[in-house]
Amino acid sequence: MFMDDIAGVRVLYTGDYSREEDCHLCAAEILQFSLYFSSKKMAKTITRLAENTPEVGETVSGFLVKKAFTYQIMTLDDLHVFSQLSTENISQRINIAYSGAFGVLKHRLKQIFESVESLPDEESEGPAFHVHERLTVKYESEKHISLHWRSDPISDMVSDSVIISILLILILITSYC
């Protein structure tokens, strides 16, 4: 359907592109109407969240899942039961070619980041340290280091900035040699 002006008269055109005769209505014959929609949305708590009724103003913490036109709030443990979603933890590792001194790298990263702490040797097979308790930098050999972290938005951001910092340190080392 669409409105068209034919010879100064507004006409509503309704055609279904079939072989039937098209129907034309003058604008005066068209009834005006209004639709009102409620902007209220309701979410149901299910599983363990539904065991205790929250008080008015109390915060309910969980995952909001929209399925068709309904909203449900559920815990992470129940996500795979009531939806087709699943959760996984992703551990990431990257190896970077680094032939500089590991102590220099740690010193430079301490200048950039607030929290750089050494790991005891019994936790790692060689020298290693944590950056912001989210990222582990390990000395693998004279030719490379490795970075390990569990993937989440903050850890990914920290790892990206550490990788850029390491690459900038490599650029500085090679430019002075």
Short mmCIF file of all heavy atoms in Angstrom, two decimals, residues 49-94:
data_model
loop_
_atom_site.label_atom_id
_atom_site.label_comp_id
_atom_site.label_asym_id
_atom_site.label_seq_id
_atom_site.Cartn_x
_atom_site.Cartn_y
_atom_site.Cartn_z
N LEU A 49 17.02 -17.89 40.68
CA LEU A 49 16.65 -16.49 40.94
C LEU A 49 15.19 -16.37 41.37
O LEU A 49 14.83 -15.43 42.05
CB LEU A 49 16.90 -15.63 39.71
CG LEU A 49 18.34 -15.38 39.34
CD1 LEU A 49 18.42 -14.58 38.05
CD2 LEU A 49 19.06 -14.66 40.44
N ALA A 50 14.35 -17.32 40.97
CA ALA A 50 12.94 -17.25 41.30
C ALA A 50 12.62 -17.86 42.67
O ALA A 50 11.49 -17.77 43.14
CB ALA A 50 12.13 -17.97 40.23
N GLU A 51 13.60 -18.46 43.33
CA GLU A 51 13.36 -19.08 44.63
C GLU A 51 12.99 -18.04 45.69
O GLU A 51 12.13 -18.29 46.53
CB GLU A 51 14.58 -19.87 45.09
CG GLU A 51 14.80 -21.14 44.26
CD GLU A 51 16.08 -21.85 44.63
OE1 GLU A 51 16.86 -21.32 45.46
OE2 GLU A 51 16.32 -22.94 44.08
N ASN A 52 13.64 -16.90 45.66
CA ASN A 52 13.37 -15.84 46.63
C ASN A 52 12.77 -14.65 45.90
O ASN A 52 13.37 -14.14 44.95
CB ASN A 52 14.65 -15.41 47.35
CG ASN A 52 15.30 -16.56 48.09
OD1 ASN A 52 14.62 -17.40 48.65
ND2 ASN A 52 16.62 -16.60 48.07
N THR A 53 11.62 -14.20 46.37
CA THR A 53 10.98 -13.05 45.75
C THR A 53 11.72 -11.78 46.16
O THR A 53 11.89 -11.52 47.35
CB THR A 53 9.51 -12.94 46.21
OG1 THR A 53 8.86 -14.17 45.92
CG2 THR A 53 8.81 -11.82 45.48
N PRO A 54 12.19 -11.00 45.19
CA PRO A 54 12.91 -9.77 45.55
C PRO A 54 11.96 -8.70 46.08
O PRO A 54 10.79 -8.64 45.70
CB PRO A 54 13.55 -9.32 44.23
CG PRO A 54 12.75 -9.97 43.17
CD PRO A 54 12.16 -11.21 43.76
N GLU A 55 12.47 -7.88 46.98
CA GLU A 55 11.70 -6.76 47.51
C GLU A 55 11.68 -5.64 46.47
O GLU A 55 12.49 -5.62 45.55
CB GLU A 55 12.34 -6.26 48.81
CG GLU A 55 12.40 -7.30 49.92
CD GLU A 55 11.02 -7.72 50.40
OE1 GLU A 55 10.13 -6.86 50.44
OE2 GLU A 55 10.84 -8.90 50.72
N VAL A 56 10.79 -4.71 46.63
CA VAL A 56 10.70 -3.56 45.73
C VAL A 56 11.99 -2.75 45.85
O VAL A 56 12.42 -2.41 46.94
CB VAL A 56 9.47 -2.69 46.06
CG1 VAL A 56 9.46 -1.44 45.19
CG2 VAL A 56 8.20 -3.48 45.88
N GLY A 57 12.63 -2.49 44.74
CA GLY A 57 13.87 -1.72 44.72
C GLY A 57 15.12 -2.57 44.88
O GLY A 57 16.23 -2.07 44.75
N GLU A 58 14.97 -3.87 45.16
CA GLU A 58 16.12 -4.75 45.32
C GLU A 58 16.70 -5.11 43.95
O GLU A 58 15.97 -5.31 42.98
CB GLU A 58 15.70 -6.03 46.05
CG GLU A 58 16.84 -6.97 46.34
CD GLU A 58 16.35 -8.24 47.05
OE1 GLU A 58 15.21 -8.26 47.54
OE2 GLU A 58 17.14 -9.20 47.10
N THR A 59 18.00 -5.19 43.87
CA THR A 59 18.67 -5.50 42.61
C THR A 59 18.70 -7.01 42.40
O THR A 59 19.04 -7.75 43.31
CB THR A 59 20.11 -4.95 42.62
OG1 THR A 59 20.05 -3.55 42.85
CG2 THR A 59 20.81 -5.23 41.31
N VAL A 60 18.34 -7.43 41.19
CA VAL A 60 18.41 -8.84 40.81
C VAL A 60 19.55 -8.96 39.81
O VAL A 60 19.60 -8.26 38.81
CB VAL A 60 17.08 -9.31 40.17
CG1 VAL A 60 17.20 -10.74 39.70
CG2 VAL A 60 15.94 -9.16 41.14
N SER A 61 20.49 -9.85 40.09
CA SER A 61 21.67 -9.99 39.25
C SER A 61 21.60 -11.31 38.48
O SER A 61 21.41 -12.37 39.07
CB SER A 61 22.93 -9.94 40.11
OG SER A 61 24.06 -10.06 39.30
N GLY A 62 21.73 -11.23 37.17
CA GLY A 62 21.70 -12.42 36.32
C GLY A 62 21.85 -12.02 34.87
O GLY A 62 22.21 -10.89 34.56
N PHE A 63 21.56 -12.95 33.98
CA PHE A 63 21.64 -12.71 32.55
C PHE A 63 20.24 -12.51 31.99
O PHE A 63 19.34 -13.30 32.26
CB PHE A 63 22.32 -13.88 31.83
CG PHE A 63 23.79 -13.93 32.07
CD1 PHE A 63 24.30 -14.67 33.11
CD2 PHE A 63 24.64 -13.21 31.27
CE1 PHE A 63 25.66 -14.71 33.33
CE2 PHE A 63 26.00 -13.23 31.49
CZ PHE A 63 26.51 -13.99 32.52
N LEU A 64 20.07 -11.46 31.21
CA LEU A 64 18.79 -11.18 30.57
C LEU A 64 18.81 -11.84 29.20
O LEU A 64 19.66 -11.54 28.36
CB LEU A 64 18.57 -9.67 30.43
CG LEU A 64 17.29 -9.24 29.75
CD1 LEU A 64 16.09 -9.60 30.64
CD2 LEU A 64 17.30 -7.76 29.49
N VAL A 65 17.86 -12.76 28.99
CA VAL A 65 17.78 -13.49 27.73
C VAL A 65 16.45 -13.15 27.08
O VAL A 65 15.39 -13.29 27.70
CB VAL A 65 17.88 -15.01 27.97
CG1 VAL A 65 17.72 -15.77 26.66
CG2 VAL A 65 19.20 -15.36 28.62
N LYS A 66 16.50 -12.67 25.83
CA LYS A 66 15.28 -12.38 25.08
C LYS A 66 15.03 -13.55 24.15
O LYS A 66 15.87 -13.90 23.32
CB LYS A 66 15.46 -11.09 24.27
CG LYS A 66 14.23 -10.74 23.46
CD LYS A 66 14.46 -9.48 22.65
CE LYS A 66 13.24 -9.20 21.79
NZ LYS A 66 13.47 -8.07 20.90
N LYS A 67 13.86 -14.15 24.31
CA LYS A 67 13.50 -15.30 23.49
C LYS A 67 12.11 -15.02 22.94
O LYS A 67 11.17 -14.83 23.70
CB LYS A 67 13.50 -16.56 24.35
CG LYS A 67 13.40 -17.84 23.60
CD LYS A 67 13.56 -19.00 24.56
CE LYS A 67 13.57 -20.31 23.83
NZ LYS A 67 13.69 -21.43 24.76
N ALA A 68 12.00 -14.93 21.62
CA ALA A 68 10.77 -14.50 20.95
C ALA A 68 10.44 -13.11 21.46
O ALA A 68 11.22 -12.19 21.28
CB ALA A 68 9.65 -15.50 21.15
N PHE A 69 9.31 -12.92 22.14
CA PHE A 69 8.97 -11.61 22.68
C PHE A 69 8.94 -11.61 24.20
O PHE A 69 8.32 -10.75 24.82
CB PHE A 69 7.61 -11.15 22.11
CG PHE A 69 7.67 -10.88 20.65
CD1 PHE A 69 7.20 -11.80 19.73
CD2 PHE A 69 8.22 -9.70 20.17
CE1 PHE A 69 7.27 -11.56 18.38
CE2 PHE A 69 8.29 -9.45 18.81
CZ PHE A 69 7.81 -10.38 17.91
N THR A 70 9.59 -12.58 24.81
CA THR A 70 9.63 -12.66 26.27
C THR A 70 11.05 -12.44 26.76
O THR A 70 12.01 -12.73 26.05
CB THR A 70 9.12 -14.02 26.77
OG1 THR A 70 10.00 -15.04 26.29
CG2 THR A 70 7.71 -14.30 26.31
N TYR A 71 11.15 -11.94 27.97
CA TYR A 71 12.45 -11.70 28.59
C TYR A 71 12.54 -12.58 29.84
O TYR A 71 11.58 -12.67 30.60
CB TYR A 71 12.61 -10.24 29.00
CG TYR A 71 12.67 -9.29 27.83
CD1 TYR A 71 11.52 -8.68 27.34
CD2 TYR A 71 13.88 -8.99 27.22
CE1 TYR A 71 11.57 -7.81 26.27
CE2 TYR A 71 13.94 -8.13 26.15
CZ TYR A 71 12.79 -7.54 25.68
OH TYR A 71 12.84 -6.68 24.62
N GLN A 72 13.70 -13.20 30.03
CA GLN A 72 13.92 -14.02 31.21
C GLN A 72 15.26 -13.65 31.81
O GLN A 72 16.22 -13.38 31.09
CB GLN A 72 13.94 -15.51 30.84
CG GLN A 72 12.64 -16.01 30.27
CD GLN A 72 12.74 -17.44 29.77
OE1 GLN A 72 13.81 -17.90 29.41
NE2 GLN A 72 11.61 -18.12 29.73
N ILE A 73 15.30 -13.63 33.15
CA ILE A 73 16.56 -13.39 33.86
C ILE A 73 16.94 -14.69 34.53
O ILE A 73 16.14 -15.29 35.25
CB ILE A 73 16.41 -12.27 34.91
CG1 ILE A 73 15.97 -10.97 34.24
CG2 ILE A 73 17.73 -12.06 35.64
CD1 ILE A 73 15.68 -9.85 35.21
N MET A 74 18.16 -15.15 34.30
CA MET A 74 18.61 -16.43 34.85
C MET A 74 20.07 -16.35 35.26
O MET A 74 20.77 -15.41 34.89
CB MET A 74 18.39 -17.55 33.83
CG MET A 74 19.18 -17.39 32.55
SD MET A 74 18.78 -18.61 31.31
CE MET A 74 17.20 -18.06 30.76
N THR A 75 20.51 -17.33 36.00
CA THR A 75 21.91 -17.38 36.43
C THR A 75 22.76 -17.97 35.30
O THR A 75 22.24 -18.61 34.37
CB THR A 75 22.08 -18.23 37.69
OG1 THR A 75 21.67 -19.57 37.39
CG2 THR A 75 21.28 -17.68 38.85
N LEU A 76 24.05 -17.81 35.41
CA LEU A 76 24.97 -18.33 34.40
C LEU A 76 24.91 -19.85 34.33
O LEU A 76 24.99 -20.44 33.26
CB LEU A 76 26.39 -17.85 34.70
CG LEU A 76 27.49 -18.34 33.76
CD1 LEU A 76 27.25 -17.81 32.36
CD2 LEU A 76 28.84 -17.90 34.26
N ASP A 77 24.74 -20.50 35.49
CA ASP A 77 24.70 -21.96 35.52
C ASP A 77 23.49 -22.51 34.78
O ASP A 77 23.52 -23.63 34.28
CB ASP A 77 24.67 -22.46 36.97
CG ASP A 77 25.92 -22.05 37.72
OD1 ASP A 77 26.97 -21.86 37.07
OD2 ASP A 77 25.85 -21.92 38.96
N ASP A 78 22.40 -21.76 34.72
CA ASP A 78 21.18 -22.23 34.08
C ASP A 78 21.04 -21.77 32.63
O ASP A 78 20.05 -22.08 31.98
CB ASP A 78 19.96 -21.74 34.87
CG ASP A 78 19.99 -22.25 36.29
OD1 ASP A 78 20.39 -23.41 36.49
OD2 ASP A 78 19.63 -21.49 37.21
N LEU A 79 22.01 -21.05 32.14
CA LEU A 79 21.92 -20.49 30.79
C LEU A 79 21.80 -21.58 29.73
O LEU A 79 20.97 -21.49 28.83
CB LEU A 79 23.14 -19.60 30.52
CG LEU A 79 23.12 -18.75 29.27
CD1 LEU A 79 21.96 -17.77 29.33
CD2 LEU A 79 24.42 -18.00 29.13
N HIS A 80 22.59 -22.63 29.84
CA HIS A 80 22.55 -23.68 28.82
C HIS A 80 21.30 -24.55 28.92
O HIS A 80 20.92 -25.19 27.96
CB HIS A 80 23.81 -24.55 28.92
CG HIS A 80 23.86 -25.43 30.12
ND1 HIS A 80 24.20 -24.96 31.37
CD2 HIS A 80 23.56 -26.74 30.28
CE1 HIS A 80 24.14 -25.93 32.24
NE2 HIS A 80 23.75 -27.03 31.61
N VAL A 81 20.65 -24.58 30.08
CA VAL A 81 19.45 -25.40 30.26
C VAL A 81 18.24 -24.75 29.59
O VAL A 81 17.46 -25.41 28.92
CB VAL A 81 19.17 -25.62 31.76
CG1 VAL A 81 17.87 -26.38 31.97
CG2 VAL A 81 20.33 -26.36 32.40
N PHE A 82 18.07 -23.44 29.75
CA PHE A 82 16.88 -22.76 29.28
C PHE A 82 17.07 -22.01 27.97
O PHE A 82 16.17 -21.34 27.50
CB PHE A 82 16.38 -21.79 30.36
CG PHE A 82 15.85 -22.50 31.56
CD1 PHE A 82 16.65 -22.71 32.66
CD2 PHE A 82 14.55 -23.00 31.57
CE1 PHE A 82 16.16 -23.38 33.77
CE2 PHE A 82 14.07 -23.67 32.67
CZ PHE A 82 14.88 -23.86 33.77
N SER A 83 18.24 -22.07 27.40
CA SER A 83 18.46 -21.43 26.10
C SER A 83 19.46 -22.29 25.32
O SER A 83 20.02 -23.24 25.85
CB SER A 83 19.00 -20.00 26.27
OG SER A 83 20.31 -20.05 26.79
N GLN A 84 19.68 -21.93 24.11
CA GLN A 84 20.65 -22.66 23.29
C GLN A 84 22.03 -22.02 23.38
O GLN A 84 22.90 -22.30 22.58
CB GLN A 84 20.18 -22.71 21.85
CG GLN A 84 18.91 -23.50 21.67
CD GLN A 84 18.42 -23.50 20.24
OE1 GLN A 84 18.89 -22.75 19.41
NE2 GLN A 84 17.47 -24.36 19.95
N LEU A 85 22.22 -21.17 24.37
CA LEU A 85 23.50 -20.51 24.56
C LEU A 85 24.38 -21.33 25.49
O LEU A 85 23.88 -22.02 26.38
CB LEU A 85 23.29 -19.12 25.16
CG LEU A 85 22.42 -18.16 24.35
CD1 LEU A 85 22.17 -16.90 25.16
CD2 LEU A 85 23.09 -17.82 23.04
N SER A 86 25.66 -21.25 25.31
CA SER A 86 26.59 -21.90 26.22
C SER A 86 27.73 -20.95 26.52
O SER A 86 27.97 -20.00 25.79
CB SER A 86 27.13 -23.20 25.61
OG SER A 86 27.86 -22.92 24.45
N THR A 87 28.40 -21.20 27.62
CA THR A 87 29.53 -20.34 28.00
C THR A 87 30.80 -21.18 28.04
O THR A 87 30.77 -22.36 28.39
CB THR A 87 29.29 -19.72 29.39
OG1 THR A 87 29.12 -20.77 30.34
CG2 THR A 87 28.08 -18.83 29.39
N GLU A 88 31.89 -20.56 27.69
CA GLU A 88 33.19 -21.22 27.69
C GLU A 88 34.22 -20.23 28.19
O GLU A 88 34.08 -19.02 28.03
CB GLU A 88 33.58 -21.67 26.29
CG GLU A 88 32.69 -22.75 25.70
CD GLU A 88 32.76 -24.07 26.43
OE1 GLU A 88 33.84 -24.39 26.97
OE2 GLU A 88 31.75 -24.77 26.48
N ASN A 89 35.27 -20.74 28.79
CA ASN A 89 36.42 -19.92 29.15
C ASN A 89 37.49 -20.15 28.11
O ASN A 89 37.79 -21.30 27.76
CB ASN A 89 36.96 -20.30 30.54
CG ASN A 89 36.00 -19.90 31.63
OD1 ASN A 89 35.35 -18.87 31.53
ND2 ASN A 89 35.92 -20.69 32.67
N ILE A 90 38.05 -19.08 27.62
CA ILE A 90 39.07 -19.18 26.57
C ILE A 90 40.40 -18.72 27.15
O ILE A 90 40.51 -17.62 27.69
CB ILE A 90 38.70 -18.30 25.35
CG1 ILE A 90 37.38 -18.77 24.76
CG2 ILE A 90 39.81 -18.35 24.31
CD1 ILE A 90 36.85 -17.88 23.68
N SER A 91 41.41 -19.59 27.06
CA SER A 91 42.77 -19.22 27.46
C SER A 91 43.54 -18.89 26.19
O SER A 91 43.51 -19.66 25.23
CB SER A 91 43.45 -20.36 28.19
OG SER A 91 42.79 -20.62 29.40
N GLN A 92 44.21 -17.76 26.19
CA GLN A 92 44.95 -17.34 25.00
C GLN A 92 46.44 -17.34 25.30
O GLN A 92 46.86 -17.11 26.43
CB GLN A 92 44.49 -15.95 24.56
CG GLN A 92 43.04 -15.95 24.13
CD GLN A 92 42.69 -14.70 23.37
OE1 GLN A 92 43.38 -14.30 22.45
NE2 GLN A 92 41.59 -14.07 23.77
N ARG A 93 47.20 -17.57 24.26
CA ARG A 93 48.66 -17.57 24.36
C ARG A 93 49.22 -17.00 23.07
O ARG A 93 48.73 -17.32 21.98
CB ARG A 93 49.17 -18.98 24.57
CG ARG A 93 50.67 -19.08 24.55
CD ARG A 93 51.12 -20.51 24.60
NE ARG A 93 52.54 -20.55 24.34
CZ ARG A 93 53.36 -21.40 24.91
NH1 ARG A 93 52.91 -22.30 25.74
NH2 ARG A 93 54.64 -21.38 24.63
N ILE A 94 50.21 -16.17 23.21
CA ILE A 94 50.90 -15.63 22.03
C ILE A 94 52.40 -15.68 22.30
O ILE A 94 52.85 -15.38 23.41
CB ILE A 94 50.42 -14.21 21.69
CG1 ILE A 94 51.04 -13.72 20.38
CG2 ILE A 94 50.72 -13.25 22.80
CD1 ILE A 94 50.42 -12.46 19.84
#
